[in-house]
């Protein structure tokens, strides 16, 4: 592995496409809000062998890392400002891997105007670890949170649900009865998040509560239920599915557990008292907010499902 | 190890002493600048077995992690705003360790008004990794950087230099000829940074360039020389030493290499065209800035030292 300073200068400085990053020559970077705006910040860490496979490509790791953090900004309705990145590299990491990883960040930096502001490069005797801190901006007092859902709200999602989890299955070769095309579509949905950054900004002033679907639809709606102190009822049959996901479910009905419980969709789930307008992505109403105990209930074929049977742990 | 959500709720939420942290219930936190201020951001990662010993106490790890990042903010002249923290815990980490670590952060949060804003808690098959992102605020356009040193400036440092490196030696039992008191003083200086947060703010408008001494005096001054495009000449005999460091040098003159080249002092080095006033810490003039090739030259007993003999690698 090359010297820390060489790595920063050669591979990462080209990502620092803002004067405030000081060309990564300083210990810190400078950023400012437009008048009337405030900032949001979110941090995510991923570990080789835990959050990505040991043989995952640098491009796929970069996509998941940046995409998932942009999705967190989207869930607040924030405009991307920039990010810092801490990388712990195993000593045996080939320079080509680091180079490819940094190059794979470049399209994200450009497409989302999301410059690298700074970070740290260290070596580790353990697995690769990346920690990304994303900074965004919102008009003061308007950030979307998990806490604003109100009884009577409708629950919506953007795009289609379940592709992430089914895509992981497809990438592992577990959906071989699907067409190659469907498998490839799902695997790509798993590997490359399409964070709903524009839609999130569009939801400001329209949504009462929002979250991005990273842990799985039911668990993430559970966070809204917990923090808002409301009951959420979902109609499983209303959850929007891609054509590929429909094909997978037609072959194996039990995959509904993956659709509702799996993660990595990076769509937005939100509640609102009227259908939001002006978004750049389809939305679908999938349920209602009620003034009962904070929890999530799934209705399937008109019958409440016991969530334990879906294997969920992490919520009330 | 306890569940991720339990760890956050039980141990880390008490550190989120600002409404913008949303009680750590959201994926992101909100922070705003006072009118006329902008933000600075810095990220540092530390790895068990690389940056701290395998058997280091949670309190010492917390001190080094938060102290070194506050020191980065200090070097910019920034007021601490808050931080995010990503923790990768080995699965075998005892809950008591996590509890102690979080509790050890509490005095830093309180003393420096430096609340936890958010973060991530993941498990790892490898060593402990922490990544901290610190956010500060400065009056717009006033942040101290490494880039402003001017020929004719005097080079100053705060406090005393070399205690960090000698403290590591003392902690390892390599300075046993010193008094117990001196060994304890130095080891404490190594273990618990005293970031010069007030002094850094006081240097705004007075210093032309600044850096905190984390990698070692010569190397860190090398960063100022590189980025400012100036030559820096240091008088080794002028470098301020603590009483304990003087005693160590009296026993072994070669320790001057550790004093000039070792890290972990977390003092500030800066250049200015007049002695700054109003600081809460002693300052000492140790050298001059010249308009020659960007490099650092050390004069000892009136004679230039070849820096190679000090074992330095990382600078021009």
């Amino acid at each position: 592995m090359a010297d820390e300073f060489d790595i920063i200068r050669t591979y990462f400085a080209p990502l620092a496409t803002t004067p405030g990053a000081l060309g990564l020559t300083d210990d810190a970077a400078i950023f400012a809000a437009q008048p009337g705006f405030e900032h949001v910040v979110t941090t995510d860490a991923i570990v080789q062998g835990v959050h990505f496979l040991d043989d995952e490509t640098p491009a796929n790791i970069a996509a998941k890392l940046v995409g998932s953090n942009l999705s967190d900004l989207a869930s607040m309705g924030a405009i991307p400002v920039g990010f810092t990145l801490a990388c712990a590299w195993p000593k045996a990491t080939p320079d080509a891997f680091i180079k490819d990883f940094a190059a794979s960040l470049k399209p994200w930096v450009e497409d989302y105007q999301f410059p690298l502001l700074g970070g740290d490069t260290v070596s580790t005797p353990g697995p690769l670890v990346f920690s990304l801190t994303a900074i965004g901006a919102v008009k003061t007092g308007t950030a979307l949170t998990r806490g604003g859902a109100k009884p009577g709200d409708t629950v919506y999602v953007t795009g289609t649900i379940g592709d992430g989890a089914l895509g992981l299955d497809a990438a592992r070769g577990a959906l071989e009865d699907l067409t190659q095309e469907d498998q490839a579509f799902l695997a790509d949905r798993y590997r490359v998040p399409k964070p709903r950054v524009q839609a999130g900004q569009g939801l400001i002033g329209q949504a009462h509560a929002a979250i991005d679907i990273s842990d799985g639809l039911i668990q993430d709606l559970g966070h809204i239920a917990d923090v808002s102190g409301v009951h959420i009822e979902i109609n499983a049959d209303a959850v929007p599915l891609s054509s590929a996901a429909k094909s997978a479910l037609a072959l194996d009905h039990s995959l509904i557990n993956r659709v509702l419980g799996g993660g990595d969709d990076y769509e937005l789930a939100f509640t609102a008292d009227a259908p939001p307008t002006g978004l750049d992505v389809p939305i679908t109403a999938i349920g209602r907010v009620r003034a009962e105990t904070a929890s999530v209930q799934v209705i399937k074929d008109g019958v409440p499902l016991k969530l334990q049977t879906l294997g969920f742990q992490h919520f009330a």
Side-chain angles (χ1 to χ4, degrees), chain A:
Chain A
M1 201 177 90
D3 171 83
E4 169 188 351
F5 297 102
D6 287 339
I7 290 172
I8 293 169
R9 189 166 36 229
T10 309
Y11 302 135
F12 289 102
L15 306 176
T17 56
T18 175
L22 305 172
L24 304 188
T25 61
D26 235 279
D27 261 343
I30 302 167
F31 62 98
Q34 300 292 322
F37 281 73
E38 59 191 355
H39 285 114
V40 304
V41 60
T42 179
T43 292
D44 274 311
I46 59 173
V47 179
Q48 184 178 34
V50 179
H51 303 90
F52 57 92
L53 303 174
D54 283 344
D55 59 355
E56 192 55 275
T57 66
N60 287 341
I61 299 168
K64 189 59 70 97
L65 180 63
V66 184
S68 64
N69 275 281
L70 282 168
S71 183
D72 282 334
L73 292 185
S75 75
M76 310 279 283
I79 302 161
V81 168
F83 67 103
T84 69
L85 178 62
C87 307
W89 304 103
K91 282 205 169 60
T93 307
D95 274 16
F97 187 98
I98 301 175
K99 181 180 178 180
D100 285 355
F101 176 77
S104 302
L105 294 172
K106 187 75 175 169
W108 295 88
V109 167
E110 291 171 348
D111 293 351
Y112 290 89
Q113 297 182 49
F114 192 52
L116 181 65
L117 295 174
D120 202 4
T121 293
V122 298
S123 68
T124 175
L128 260 172
V129 180
F130 297 104
S131 174
L132 191 150
T133 296
I135 294 166
V138 289
K139 273 191 187 163
T140 301
T142 68
L144 302 171
T145 71
R146 302 173 179 180
K150 295 185 175 65
D153 279 359
T154 300
V155 179
Y156 298 89
V157 292
T158 61
T160 56
I161 303 302
D163 298 331
L166 296 178
L168 175 58
D169 295 344
R172 286 174 169 162
L175 297 179
E176 290 189 333
D177 292 339
L178 283 184
T179 66
Q180 288 292 329
E181 196 179 349
D182 281 346
Q183 291 182 55
F185 169 85
L186 292 170
D188 185 65
R189 285 273 289 162
Y190 167 70
R191 291 191 176 115
V192 183
K194 303 278 186 300
R196 299 301 188 182
V197 172
Q198 294 291 338
Q201 292 169 38
L203 286 175
I204 284 185
Q206 304 200 78
H208 290 160
I211 195 167
D212 70 309
I213 304 171
S214 53
D215 294 336
L217 177 66
I218 303 301
Q219 181 161 326
D220 287 317
L221 287 175
H223 295 315
I224 288 184
D226 278 348
V227 181
S228 296
V230 296
H231 180 80
I232 289 178
E233 184 183 285
I234 298 304
N235 176 2
D237 298 319
V239 173
L241 302 177
S242 65
S243 164
K246 282 178 190 165
S247 298
L249 277 175
L251 291 167
D252 179 356
H253 291 299
S254 76
L255 288 174
I256 187 68
N257 294 350
R258 298 285 289 150
V259 168
L260 298 178
D264 294 294
D265 281 324
Y266 301 106
E267 298 292 347
L268 298 178
F270 59 95
T271 81
D273 58 11
T277 58
L279 304 186
D280 67 345
V281 57
I283 60 169
T284 306
I286 63 165
R288 306 285 293 175
V289 179
R290 302 193 188 284
E292 297 162 31
T293 313
S295 61
V296 178
Q297 175 71 65
V298 179
I299 309 290
K300 174 90 175 103
D301 301 323
V303 180
L305 285 181
K306 285 195 178 169
L307 290 178
Q308 293 92 308
T309 64
L310 295 176
F312 299 117
Q313 304 286 347
H314 274 318
F315 62 112

